[in-house]
Amino acid sequence: MAVETCYIPRTLDEALELRKNTGAIPLAGGTDLMVQHKKGIGCVPSFPAPIMIISNLKELKGITRDADGTVVIGALTTASEIAESELVPYLVRTAASRMGAVALRNQATIGGNIGNASPKGDLPQPLILLDAEVILRSVDGERKMLLDKFITGSKRTELSSDEIITAIRIPVVPSTHLFYHKVGTRRANAISKLSLSCLALVEDGVVKDFRASSGAAGPKVRRSRDAENLIIGLRLDEITDHIGEFTKAWDAIISPHAMPEWRRASTRRMLTFFLEKLACGAEPGIFE
């Protein structure tokens, strides 16, 4: 049906009541939903349910840091606000800064980018690497779950029909070396063809933690803890001997659809680049 019914709740509680009683679809920035439901130039988008505009709900905005260092980002926080906040971990901040053009970043929200669950979405990739949690609210209460569990596939999530995404929680993840790279037609203002984040914690010449996540490489963000465990615990001078084993294990998680060989080869090159930096004892820092 066309957009014939549109609600504008004044509070989160009112929005939750509307969500439960009418099944209204929450809409904030609309940069994903308006495109997803468009019917053509000059035509009104057609949605399967009433629309609920929530962009004015102050309860869902802002970035804060808890006493334990956990960063909490309200669901209506825009990509521009995330990109500019020093509270936000580097990988998430950088992904937000590469998300479309300035006008889009000023409009797009983290809740919408997550809720849309596109395999090419920019923010889920580093968030899943960092074991971020999504906070969901309904009139019956609140629940939390790992974002990696919340997104189940392309355009599929565990969001219940009466729930709204209210915030994202990012725990403290110590690191010494970081890597981020997005492959697109341009550096920004482009849909991701492939993206990769890596994180390593090196102490006394030993890899204490290692993580990697890949976007646009399957129906959802890909991360292999089995592959990561091949690197964790190695001395730096042992890494080179295990790069082949690691990249072979990583190959297995790339989707067999949509140019798998290109995605595997490109991902192998990026992973190898980062691991070789570690192996040669590179100073702590950020690599691209």
Side-chain angles (χ1 to χ4, degrees):
M1 64 181 237
V3 182
E4 298 174 352
T5 304
C6 180
Y7 301 102
I8 306 179
R10 291 164 296 183
T11 66
L12 177 57
D13 287 341
E14 185 179 345
L16 294 173
E17 288 289 346
L18 285 168
R19 179 83 166 130
K20 180 177 182 179
N21 296 326
T22 70
I25 299 172
L27 188 149
T31 55
D32 282 327
L33 285 180
M34 295 299 285
V35 173
Q36 185 177 330
H37 294 283
K38 71 178 180 179
K39 293 301 178 182
I41 298 174
C43 298
V44 176
S46 179
F47 289 84
I51 294 301
M52 178 171 61
I53 297 175
I54 61 172
S55 54
N56 63 321
L57 299 183
K58 295 180 180 179
E59 301 101 314
L60 305 186
K61 297 181 179 182
I63 303 171
T64 59
R65 179 180 285 161
D66 291 347
D68 64 356
T70 298
V71 174
V72 182
I73 305 176
L76 296 185
T77 306
T78 66
S80 288
E81 291 167 333
I82 292 168
E84 295 168 1
S85 174
E86 292 296 327
L87 292 178
V88 178
Y90 168 81
L91 294 174
V92 181
R93 202 165 69 238
T94 302
S97 74
R98 308 284 172 83
M99 208 173 137
V102 174
L104 183 142
R105 293 196 293 273
N106 288 341
Q107 194 77 9
T109 65
I110 187 172
N113 199 238
I114 287 170
N116 189 48
S118 168
K120 297 181 179 181
D122 289 280
L123 296 177
Q125 187 253 84
L127 288 169
I128 285 175
L129 179 83
L130 296 171
D131 290 331
E133 289 183 317
V134 59
I135 301 178
L136 311 169
R137 282 278 299 277
S138 71
V139 294
D140 298 316
E142 179 180 283
R143 67 186 180 116
K144 303 174 185 176
M145 63 189 309
L146 282 173
L147 182 58
D148 199 11
K149 301 293 184 183
F150 174 72
I151 297 176
T152 59
S154 178
K155 306 290 184 179
R156 300 200 309 272
T157 72
E158 290 289 341
L159 185 72
S160 296
S161 60
D162 62 344
E163 289 180 319
I164 292 175
I165 299 172
T166 60
I168 303 299
R169 291 173 55 85
I170 309 173
V172 176
V173 180
S175 65
T176 52
H177 300 74
L178 297 169
F179 173 88
Y180 178 85
H181 192 77
K182 174 180 175 178
V183 180
T185 309
R186 297 168 294 280
R187 182 177 176 88
N189 196 19
I191 294 175
S192 174
K193 298 182 185 299
L194 185 67
S195 63
L196 184 76
S197 289
C198 296
L199 173 155
L201 174 64
V202 177
E203 294 179 344
D204 299 323
V206 176
V207 181
K208 298 294 186 178
D209 193 9
F210 182 88
R211 306 181 185 195
S213 62
S214 182
K220 59 173 286 187
V221 172
R222 296 293 191 175
R223 182 179 171 194
S224 173
R225 288 165 174 78
D226 288 340
E228 292 169 359
N229 286 332
L230 295 174
I231 303 299
I232 296 172
L234 295 179
R235 297 192 314 272
L236 295 183
D237 59 8
E238 296 175 323
I239 290 177
T240 301
D241 293 336
H242 291 80
I243 291 178
E245 180 185 11
F246 173 82
T247 55
K248 183 177 180 180
W250 194 268
D251 280 351
I253 71 169
I254 302 294
S255 170
H257 307 290
M259 300 188 295
E261 289 309 313
W262 175 81
R263 284 186 164 80
R264 286 171 180 154
S266 298
T267 304
R268 279 198 298 269
R269 286 195 293 271
M270 289 188 284
L271 290 169
T272 299
F273 166 79
F274 184 62
L275 287 169
E276 287 179 345
K277 287 291 185 181
L278 295 180
C280 73
E283 291 294 319
I286 296 167
F287 305 91
E288 292 193 28

